[in-house]
Structures are given as structure tokens and as C-alpha cells.
Amino acid sequence: MSRHVVIVGAGPAGLAAASAALRAGAEVTLIDAADQAGGQYHRMPPDTYRPFRVLDRCDWWPESSVWSLERHDERRPPRVHVLTGPADGDGRRRRFLDPDALVLAPGAHDRTLPFPGWDLPGVFTAGAAQALVKGERVVVGDQVLVAGSGPFLLPVAASLLEAGTRVREVLEANPPRTVLRGWGRRPWELAAQPDKAAELAAYAARLARHRVPYRTGRAVIEARGDGRVEEAVTARLRADWSVVPGTERTLSVDAVSVTHGFTPQLELPVAAGCVLRDGFVLVDGDQATSSPGVYAAGEVTGIAGAPAARAEGLVAGWTAAGGPPSELRLTRRRRDRARAFGLRLAAAHPIGQGWPGWLRPDTVVCRCEETSYESLCRAASENPAARAVRLASRAGLGPCQARICGPTVAELSPESPDPHHRPIAQPIRLGELAARSEAAEKESTP
Ligand SMILES: Cc1cc2nc3c(=O)[nH]c(=O)nc-3n(C[C@H](O)[C@H](O)[C@H](O)COP(=O)(O)OP(=O)(O)OC[C@H]3O[C@@H](n4cnc5c(N)ncnc54)[C@H](O)[C@@H]3O)c2cc1C
């Protein structure tokens, strides 16, 4: 009898995992909270979207959120609890699956450091700005500053330009020395990633064609405006991201798009009992996690781009389905090269320790609960235990449950909070939670 592999996430990693698991003869259920497959990388307007062929060959569950993983037998993968239906609709179906193997590929979301005025309307995460342009053909402004750190700044600026926006500047916070040292180390590894190098060169050429300045060692440190962004203050930074006094400049803009890297979505791996290392899921050469029958692929194991996610997905899906390991030699090599690209990315675009110097006492740190920097520091000085800081300041206790402010709060408080432990991974209504489990069992599809 073929193995039943459940895959959570239909981004590059999950889609690759599904195709490999199908090829190895497994029965596959592919689940994604979005209504279309593709994840963050293949986000496209609906009229140009071409469904992936793999979806026809597996049990494809779009608009289906995995809200909980239940560990009922330590020798087997956890039970997968799913809610199917539009996120804000009623009448969602509650189902569960007991797979033979589980592949977790839930990806990452973008990280934004706070600065005075970052909560003004008109300040967007780069991911949101790009999603609006690519997914909805909506531009965030006419005069946009793109700032932060990492190569993601380039595709975001390119998408905005393509949509007719004027991109005033693109600012990379790290100085040229850090960027060049990170990318320049072990140059032969970069040569093994010609696609990525060509992609970056194409973005850079587009910026040059539109005469958009790309400046390194400079960041947006304040957004100002009456009710929405009207201007951005930028400043030159030292290598540790502390501001060089006297280098501030004011730019008039109607939107700011900002990103400081990506944060992996770890609540499902943590719920499955997977061991983490350096903030990512620890996997072996087969993409197996420390939890029996649970595999992980894509941005949850390290931020290394779509090719790495795809290669990891192929390995994870194949091994989860029980495919013979000998057939994966080339894919593993491709995966290892792509992962090496991720290490260079991290070295070239680190977050400097000096960024809290941008904050003022009244700067909002947790937007859901409107916790200011001052109240967070006060709570931490009274009782530095992570739980006490959270309860006293309310940072991380709002609707996003610390998905946005969690890493920031952890860096600003002396004792790091328990990362990503959320028994409920996706919003669920009390009525849905209270629904009788018998009904859920009847509806489950093995
Ligand atoms: C906002 C953003 C924009 C990006 N833009 C670019 C770009 O322009 N160019 C580029 O080269 N790289 C870009 N990247 C990086 C690139 O998207 C990633 O390298 C790649 O998509 C990682 O693939 P993945 O499969 O690991 O995750 P993703 O592509 O993020 O896919 C994860 C999927 O899991 C689903 N999911 C998560 N949790 C659940 C759950 N509980 N239940 C059900 N489904 C769930 C999500 O809906 C999503 O579809 C971007 C990343 C982000 C976060």
C-alpha cells in the first residue's frame, strides 16, 4: 500500500515535495492557506496564473489552514488539523489527517525593524508592497522609498517600477565592505548559482535604466507625516547600524517600503516537536527533522531563496514517500550549493546590533498592542523574565501573536521569549473550535 504524505505549504518547497513524493509512488495531500498554489515566490495576478500540473495529480486543498498539529503517538507524525474555507468566511470545514509522513514547508514572512513613524499609513513591508503590485496590480504610492537590507530590495523596486511608480532611492543598510565581504567570500560558490547572479544583474540594470540610486550604508530612520507618510528621514550608518550624526537627509515620499530580511514561520515545526538550531528547523541530509516522520523544506530550514527551497522540497518529498536515497545524488548536490548561497546571503546582509539607537521612548514596538519602546524597557527592568515582560508590556499578545514583533522584542529584552510556541497556528473562531470532533472525524479524508 502506498504511503500517504501530507505536505503543508504549496510554495516552491511544497510543490517540489509533492512532485517528488508522487514520483516515488506516494498518495499526496497538499495543503495551503492561500487560494492558489505558488507561495511567496510565484505570486502572480490571477489572469496570468498557470496552475501547476502537480495539483492535478494530488489531493489539493486550497484555502485550507493547518491550525494545529497534535502529537498523539511519539513514534508517528502528528495529527494534522485543518480548517477549509475562506479565512474570513463562516461555515469553514474542520478536518484532520493522520499521515504516514508529514512535510512542513510553511515558508517565512518578512521582518521589519521599528523606527519612529513606521506605524504611519504609507509605510509597508516590502513583502506587502510587492504582493499588492504582483497579486492585485495595486501600487502603494507614486513616490516610494525602498529601504532595509538584502537582495529582496531589488525585486521589490523592480516590481514597483514596472507598475509605473517612481522609486526615489533604494537603500541597503549594510556598508559596501560588509556586502562585498559576504558575497565575495568563496567566489566559486557564486559561480555555481548563475541563475541567481543573472537575476540580480537584471534587477540592477532595471534600476540603472530608471536612474534609481542604490545606496549602501544608509537607512530610513524615521517616517513623518500628518496622518500618513509625507517624508522619510534617512541617515548614513556605521557597520553596526548606529547612525553617523549629521548625515540625516529628508526625502519627500508618499510611501516607504521596508524590509530587514525574513523570519521563518516556525509554529508548526515547534508544535511537531522539531528541534531548532540558530532560529531554523534542524534537518539532516534527508530533510528529516528530529521528530519521527516529519520532514521540513524551504525557508523554515534557512533563508536561501526559491532554488534552495525547491531542491530541499524534492529531497523531503522523495524521502518522506520512501523513495530510494541513491536516486537523489544530483538533487542533494544542487541543494547543498543552493544552501551555501543562503550562508553568503546571511553574511552579506546581517542586521547590525546598533539599530535600537533609532528608537525614541514613544516609538511603537508592538503595533497590535501599541507597546512603546519605553514601556517595554520599563517592563524588562522590573522583571526581565520573558513571560513577565510580555504580561507587563503586552508586547506580542495582540492579534499577530508576536509574528511581527517577536524577534524585535526578543532583541530588545534581556531574556529571549520562548520562540514560536503557539498551540493555535492560524486564527480559528471559538465556534469552530467548539465544533464536535465526531463531525470533524467524519469529514476527514485519509
Ligand atoms: C513576502 C515575500 C516576498 C518574496 N519575494 C521574492 C521575490 O520577489 N523574488 C525572490 O527571488 N524571492 C522572493 N522571496 C523569497 C522566496 O519567496 C522564497 O525563497 C521562497 O518562496 C521560499 O519558498 P517556500 O516554499 O519555503 O515558502 P513560501 O513560498 O513562503 O510558501 C509557503 C506556503 O505555506 C503556506 N502556509 C504557511 N503556513 C500555513 C498553514 N499553517 N496552513 C496552510 N498553509 C500554510 C503559505 O500560504 C505559503 O503559500 C519572497 C519572500 C517573501 C516572504
Side-chain angles (χ1 to χ4, degrees), residues 51-412:
F52 297 85
R53 270 187 303 157
V54 70
L55 303 180
D56 298 334
R57 295 186 288 128
C58 64
D59 192 12
W60 162 228
W61 292 14
E63 289 194 311
S64 296
S65 298
V66 175
W67 63 275
S68 175
L69 294 179
E70 180 190 345
R71 281 190 280 163
H72 55 112
D73 177 346
E74 291 302 323
R75 293 158 304 173
R76 289 185 52 78
R79 174 167 289 177
V80 181
H81 289 276
V82 190
L83 267 178
T84 299
D88 49 359
D90 45 19
R92 291 192 291 180
R93 291 175 73 197
R94 190 170 145 191
R95 310 154 98 176
F96 71 83
L97 295 157
D98 280 321
D100 297 312
L102 175 64
V103 178
L104 295 176
H109 50 80
D110 42 6
R111 166 121 202 248
T112 303
L113 298 175
F115 49 85
W118 77 304
D119 47 338
L120 272 177
V123 179
F124 291 83
T125 66
Q130 195 198 41
L132 284 168
V133 172
K134 281 172 87 174
E136 317 290 334
R137 287 285 171 221
V138 169
V139 289
V140 294
D142 295 324
Q143 307 269 341
V144 183
L145 172 68
V146 177
S149 184
F152 184 40
L153 295 168
L154 298 176
V156 172
S159 302
L160 289 168
L161 288 170
E162 204 179 312
T165 295
R166 178 166 174 223
V167 177
R168 298 292 311 271
E169 291 182 348
V170 177
L171 305 181
E172 160 62 53
N174 281 295
R177 199 154 27 102
T178 308
V179 177
L180 291 175
R181 211 175 32 215
W183 287 114
R185 214 164 32 188
R186 301 160 71 92
W188 59 92
E189 286 177 359
L190 198 56
Q193 293 276 302
D195 295 355
K196 274 279 157 208
E199 194 183 329
L200 290 179
Y203 291 137
R206 197 172 308 169
L207 292 197
R209 226 177 18 253
H210 285 85
R211 298 185 196 289
V212 179
Y214 176 83
R215 302 187 204 285
T216 47
R218 189 165 267 278
V220 57
I221 57 160
E222 185 178 355
R224 293 180 186 153
D226 184 10
R228 65 164 294 120
V229 173
E230 289 162 8
E231 52 187 37
V233 180
T234 73
R236 198 142 64 74
L237 301 185
R238 301 188 185 94
D240 70 349
W241 291 23
S242 56
V243 170
V244 179
T247 60
E248 293 86 352
R249 277 196 300 120
T250 303
L251 203 65
S252 95
V253 291
D254 59 5
V256 175
S257 166
V258 62
T259 173
H260 299 100
F262 297 111
T263 308
Q265 302 220 62
L266 293 176
E267 52 269 88
L268 292 181
V270 167
C274 305
V275 169
L276 307 182
R277 185 194 283 164
D278 299 330
F280 293 98
V281 181
L282 178 66
V283 286
D284 67 10
D286 290 336
Q287 301 297 133
T289 71
S290 59
S291 192
V294 181
Y295 298 77
E299 307 278 65
V300 280
T301 71
I303 306 297
R310 231 172 268 129
E312 288 193 3
L314 288 174
V315 175
W318 183 260
T319 44
S326 56
E327 290 194 25
L328 277 187
R329 265 209 337 271
L330 283 177
T331 312
R332 280 181 212 277
R333 210 176 302 153
R334 194 147 41 90
R335 183 223 24 219
D336 294 344
R337 278 204 303 257
R339 269 192 187 160
F341 179 85
L343 295 178
R344 300 157 63 85
L345 184 81
H349 303 280
I351 289 185
Q353 303 290 307
W355 68 266
W358 311 345
L359 305 179
R360 299 204 190 110
D362 63 349
T363 304
V364 168
V365 172
C366 163
R367 294 196 296 189
C368 298
E369 291 291 320
E370 297 188 353
T371 306
S372 68
Y373 179 43
E374 185 181 33
S375 56
L376 182 74
C377 293
R378 196 180 327 115
S381 69
E382 280 162 12
N383 183 347
R387 196 177 144 76
V389 171
R390 267 199 233 170
L391 290 175
S393 71
R394 297 215 40 89
L397 295 182
C400 93
Q401 290 287 291
R403 284 177 182 83
I404 306 298
C405 70
T408 295
V409 171
E411 281 169 34
L412 293 175

Side-chain angles (χ1 to χ4, degrees), residues 417-437:
D418 182 15
H420 313 286
H421 178 64
R422 297 182 192 99
I424 294 182
Q426 297 271 320
I428 177 168
R429 292 193 169 99
L430 285 176
E432 291 164 338
L433 198 56
R436 288 180 37 192
S437 59

